[in-house]
Amino acid sequence: MQEEQTIQPLRDPANVGQPLPEGITPVAGGVTAAAGFKAAGVHAGFRPQPERLDFALVVADQPCSAAATFTQNVFCAAPVTVSREHLDGVSYGTARAVIINSGNANAATGAVGLQAAEQSARMAAEAVGCTANEVLVASTGVIGQHLPLEPFGPGLQLATAAAAATPEAGHSAARAIMTTDTVPKECAVTFEGESVGLPGCTFTVGGMAKGSGMIMPNMATMISVITTDAPVGAYALHEALISAVQASFNKITVDSDTSTNDTCFALASGAAAPGNTEAFAPETPAYQRFCEALRYVCTNLARQQAQDGEGATRLVTVNLSGAATPEDADLAARTVANSPLVKTAIYGHDCNWGRIAGAVGRSGARFEQLQVDIDIMGLPVCRGGLTVPFSEEEALRRFEDPEIVIDINLGAGDAATTVWTCDFSHDYVTINGDYRT
Amino acid sequence: MQEEQTIQPLRDPANVGQPLPEGITPVAGGVTAAAGFKAAGVHAGFRPQPERLDFALVVADQPCSAAATFTQNVFCAAPVTVSREHLDGVSYGTARAVIINSGNANAATGAVGLQAAEQSARMAAEAVGCTANEVLVASTGVIGQHLPLEPFGPGLQLATAAAAATPEAGHSAARAIMTTDTVPKECAVTFEGESVGLPGCTFTVGGMAKGSGMIMPNMATMISVITTDAPVGAYALHEALISAVQASFNKITVDSDTSTNDTCFALASGAAAPGNTEAFAPETPAYQRFCEALRYVCTNLARQQAQDGEGATRLVTVNLSGAATPEDADLAARTVANSPLVKTAIYGHDCNWGRIAGAVGRSGARFEQLQVDIDIMGLPVCRGGLTVPFSEEEALRRFEDPEIVIDINLGAGDAATTVWTCDFSHDYVTINGDYRT
């Protein structure tokens, strides 16, 4: 057997958490942090409890560049179809407002559901003074029940009156879109124009998200709204959003169940440097910096979602390297992150590399068994596909951390990826196994 | 809304359980039911508890046609590699004995593990009087620990002495391969030669299996041994086994985690009609009947495995029809059967078709949302992708059954399949989340 001290961990055990890109500064707030946006979260009546916020409005002072990514689920909800149409069916264009209700997903509701989503957009357009096409809509909640239109009247009246550019207003909006989330999810960062050829300007990217909580009788729904005052054109914004979402929201999994309502909106007001859209054209330094800021915000919100997964007690980060292709890397990392055996082992503080090996082994990724190295929380547990001695006591100590990091090197190439998930606890079964009746 | 009484279920609600093919008769017993086989299950010392059987021997009176299917996991165990070599690397050939130990999987053990598996085969060959190549080996238990050779000595001595052709002996062997299985799994059937041109002969197909129980710190391992006294040639036996395993063991999933040790052996002694191998050549009536019998036995054992899945309270049968291709059918059925949200809903007796719709929607199978019909226990809950009214009380009553049947018609084609799984309970988390230390 090898001596433990001769075995170097795959990465510095201290290297956990989210790295901060150069020039990016975290700031307080969320969807209202960027200039040019107001928000509100109110109780409109989608939920029975009068104290429960259930309707969010995000409204821009002027028409904005807008982009979106939507669920790939064939059972996609009515608001997804309507919002896609309002973005000219190409997922980018111009928007003025976003309305989101919680408590009802308006999914599997057919033509009636589409009409309801359209009507809610028309009502919002009248309330904020824009065209219905400039309103993006999202819903989260129960599937297969018709969305009531009644709450939109009072909801829009209250929300337009309460809409403000303050952190508190953004916070209310973040709370209004929660389902079984236990905490609202917000993030904002800034970067200086000085460093990208626009001295005197400070650009902000902020956002809010909900999920991956679940609401009976349905699956998780993830919804996010990102705002920025950078003058980014709609097409460039869409390109940036797709790449940011791929590396963040699309890399988290709580239980492998993809929602019918997943939606991520991005709105760019340009208020921080009006008329400078050219400076933020793709390939420019300003655009690159903006992309890093956007990716940071999306990743931060995605990690918050995984951390707040149903019944979760730990955020789990799976770093997969040494894959033959990016597809293999994603396949292997995702299989580990979705393995109930791996997730229950983490819940049980069980430094169980055999389950991780079994998961990558069945993932379909190409590699040689005897090339695989695995660390758990910086503790080398497998080298060359074989077990290595480690201290159970030290392992248990490291499992006390709120974030559990698994490093896997397949030794088959240079491709790498990171996937975030959470552990699998008794509460997951309790929350999702409760009688609906 | 549609009237409930106007909606016909996709199938007769009474049509649950395993259909019995014409001419096939269930009989008592398992691996010793067919003529020409003896078996034994003893305590050899792989496990600490002296009362726990941990070593099984199945020995044929004469060399037999043999075939096998093995795990696809890259982290395949040493006994899988050795047994494949003993079948000339083509998974069929001749064998005389099968030895199986529980308590240690001999996986992720490198060259040392291969030597141990080879040595155990040599020891068994000496004990039963055949060549090492005629011995097939399997192991189930802890990954990453070296397989001790010491227990094989006393184990083989006890097993060869105890080996008998009785149902009791077969039952001991079935118990000896259990890990966290709560019950041994056996099945046997007969069919008359009369109906296939061999009057006066009665042919038997019997077998045993273990899994999908799990043993810490590892994933489920499924092992099965099927014996028959039909005179089936090795190649024909392999063809029959592959097709039977595809429709049975490869259609069950407890938690989507594929084992490193999965193995299914089939041995044909021909003792029921010596020298009649030609009568059982592929395409003959006798071979067709044999294939039906083999498939029945494999399906019966597979259903027993799903029913005995970790923490399971219900056997779940997912019947997927109306798929565009067999691949789509398997993809959609498997995604539903692996969905933690669907499995926890069944545990909670929650007639939650939204989660089933979400699962097929994200499965990758091609279909139109508005073409989908779903029944739960014969209760129509979704028609044309839309919710239909049903009685919650009636649903709760039907959830009392030990087998929960979900029928899904994608309305996209003629392909269909059936996948078996179990529900997802608190006990699953308890069993797999316990501290190893």
Side-chain angles (χ1 to χ4, degrees), chain B residues 321-352:
Chain B
S321 61
T325 65
E327 293 68 31
D328 277 10
D330 188 74
L331 199 58
R334 218 171 269 280
T335 305
V336 171
N338 279 326
S339 164
L341 286 171
V342 171
K343 292 154 73 78
T344 48
I346 291 170
Y347 173 62
H349 295 196
D350 181 357
C351 204
N352 194 330

XYZ file of all heavy atoms in Angstrom, chain B residues 321-352:
225
model
N -45.797 3.304 -23.996
C -46.198 2.950 -25.362
C -46.276 4.218 -26.216
O -46.103 5.332 -25.719
C -47.561 2.256 -25.340
O -48.534 3.133 -24.805
N -46.499 4.022 -27.525
C -46.672 5.165 -28.420
C -45.400 5.953 -28.677
O -45.450 7.125 -29.051
N -44.231 5.304 -28.485
C -42.968 6.000 -28.737
C -42.593 5.888 -30.217
O -42.988 4.956 -30.900
C -41.858 5.428 -27.870
N -41.793 6.850 -30.688
C -41.396 6.871 -32.099
C -40.438 5.724 -32.415
O -40.483 5.149 -33.500
C -40.747 8.215 -32.435
N -39.575 5.387 -31.459
C -38.603 4.297 -31.657
C -38.442 3.536 -30.347
O -38.755 4.073 -29.277
C -37.213 4.861 -32.043
O -36.720 5.626 -30.916
C -37.291 5.771 -33.266
N -37.898 2.305 -30.396
C -37.629 1.567 -29.159
C -36.669 2.336 -28.247
O -36.819 2.317 -27.021
C -36.978 0.268 -29.660
C -37.517 0.086 -31.040
C -37.633 1.483 -31.599
N -35.734 3.070 -28.852
C -34.777 3.854 -28.047
C -35.520 4.946 -27.276
O -35.280 5.169 -26.091
C -33.712 4.494 -28.941
C -32.764 3.500 -29.620
C -33.465 2.633 -30.662
O -34.446 3.113 -31.287
O -33.065 1.466 -30.818
N -36.453 5.632 -27.968
C -37.247 6.665 -27.301
C -38.093 6.063 -26.184
O -38.233 6.650 -25.103
C -38.170 7.374 -28.302
C -37.446 8.479 -29.065
O -36.203 8.559 -28.942
O -38.111 9.246 -29.772
N -38.654 4.874 -26.444
C -39.484 4.222 -25.432
C -38.659 3.937 -24.183
O -39.066 4.251 -23.060
C -40.071 2.928 -25.987
N -37.470 3.377 -24.376
C -36.605 3.056 -23.245
C -36.176 4.317 -22.506
O -36.186 4.374 -21.276
C -35.366 2.292 -23.730
C -34.532 1.776 -22.571
O -34.964 0.791 -21.930
O -33.480 2.368 -22.284
N -35.820 5.349 -23.281
C -35.364 6.622 -22.704
C -36.448 7.228 -21.814
O -36.206 7.605 -20.662
C -35.008 7.580 -23.844
C -34.124 8.787 -23.565
C -32.789 8.354 -22.980
C -33.891 9.536 -24.885
N -37.669 7.279 -22.335
C -38.772 7.902 -21.593
C -39.138 7.070 -20.363
O -39.281 7.610 -19.259
C -39.983 8.072 -22.504
N -39.250 5.751 -20.534
C -39.639 4.888 -19.411
C -38.579 4.921 -18.311
O -38.887 5.019 -17.123
C -39.849 3.464 -19.905
N -37.319 4.869 -18.734
C -36.210 4.867 -17.779
C -36.136 6.192 -17.010
O -35.835 6.224 -15.813
C -34.906 4.626 -18.532
C -33.913 3.768 -17.837
C -32.761 3.416 -18.773
N -33.004 2.185 -19.488
C -32.808 0.984 -18.933
N -32.381 0.895 -17.692
N -33.040 -0.109 -19.613
N -36.403 7.306 -17.715
C -36.335 8.612 -17.060
C -37.414 8.725 -15.992
O -37.169 9.229 -14.896
C -36.489 9.745 -18.096
O -35.500 9.583 -19.115
C -36.311 11.109 -17.443
N -38.604 8.208 -16.287
C -39.678 8.203 -15.282
C -39.283 7.307 -14.107
O -39.399 7.692 -12.943
C -41.003 7.704 -15.904
C -42.057 7.486 -14.826
C -41.501 8.697 -16.949
N -38.756 6.115 -14.424
C -38.427 5.135 -13.385
C -37.274 5.596 -12.497
O -37.147 5.150 -11.364
C -38.092 3.791 -14.021
N -36.432 6.488 -13.017
C -35.297 6.985 -12.233
C -35.569 8.320 -11.564
O -34.731 8.818 -10.817
C -34.057 7.127 -13.127
C -33.350 5.808 -13.346
O -33.327 4.956 -12.461
N -32.804 5.629 -14.538
N -36.717 8.931 -11.832
C -36.986 10.259 -11.291
C -37.237 10.208 -9.782
O -38.204 9.607 -9.325
C -38.217 10.867 -11.969
O -38.684 11.970 -11.202
N -36.365 10.841 -8.980
C -36.597 10.867 -7.533
C -37.950 11.488 -7.188
O -38.589 11.095 -6.212
C -35.447 11.726 -7.003
C -34.395 11.651 -8.046
C -35.138 11.546 -9.353
N -38.392 12.446 -8.019
C -39.675 13.094 -7.739
C -40.833 12.139 -7.948
O -41.796 12.128 -7.184
C -39.839 14.336 -8.621
C -38.987 15.525 -8.203
C -39.046 16.616 -9.246
C -39.433 16.044 -6.855
N -40.751 11.312 -8.988
C -41.813 10.330 -9.232
C -41.790 9.266 -8.138
O -42.821 8.911 -7.569
C -41.633 9.676 -10.619
C -42.601 8.508 -10.796
C -41.832 10.705 -11.729
N -40.574 8.817 -7.788
C -40.440 7.719 -6.819
C -40.857 8.143 -5.408
O -41.451 7.362 -4.669
C -39.015 7.176 -6.839
C -38.699 6.449 -8.161
C -37.228 6.445 -8.506
C -36.426 5.523 -7.649
N -36.543 4.114 -8.041
N -40.551 9.396 -5.046
C -40.984 9.861 -3.719
C -42.496 10.104 -3.705
O -43.156 9.881 -2.696
C -40.252 11.159 -3.307
O -40.297 12.093 -4.392
C -38.800 10.881 -2.951
N -43.043 10.530 -4.842
C -44.500 10.735 -4.914
C -45.223 9.401 -4.709
O -46.223 9.336 -3.991
C -44.887 11.339 -6.266
N -44.698 8.334 -5.312
C -45.323 7.017 -5.149
C -45.207 6.575 -3.695
O -46.159 6.076 -3.106
C -44.674 5.988 -6.098
C -45.039 6.337 -7.546
C -45.127 4.566 -5.758
C -44.271 5.556 -8.588
N -44.051 6.826 -3.100
C -43.874 6.508 -1.677
C -44.936 7.250 -0.856
O -45.495 6.708 0.092
C -42.466 6.915 -1.222
C -42.230 6.796 0.263
C -42.317 5.565 0.904
C -41.916 7.919 1.024
C -42.092 5.461 2.269
C -41.685 7.818 2.390
C -41.778 6.580 3.004
O -41.556 6.475 4.357
N -45.240 8.480 -1.249
C -46.224 9.299 -0.538
C -47.646 9.067 -1.019
O -48.552 9.812 -0.649
N -47.854 8.037 -1.865
C -49.193 7.741 -2.386
C -49.799 8.976 -3.044
O -50.990 9.258 -2.903
C -50.109 7.228 -1.264
C -49.673 5.917 -0.705
N -50.497 5.119 0.056
C -48.498 5.242 -0.803
C -49.852 4.025 0.403
N -48.630 4.083 -0.098
N -48.941 9.723 -3.749
C -49.352 10.966 -4.384
C -49.539 10.715 -5.878
O -48.591 10.441 -6.589
C -48.264 12.022 -4.147
C -48.616 13.360 -4.759
O -49.669 13.462 -5.423
O -47.830 14.306 -4.570
N -50.786 10.797 -6.339
C -51.129 10.492 -7.740
C -50.696 11.659 -8.623
O -51.502 12.355 -9.229
C -52.626 10.243 -7.858
S -53.056 9.239 -9.289
N -49.354 11.854 -8.694
C -48.775 13.101 -9.158
C -48.306 13.010 -10.604
O -47.119 12.867 -10.885
C -47.585 13.405 -8.248
C -47.126 14.826 -8.407
O -47.268 15.405 -9.479
N -46.579 15.377 -7.351
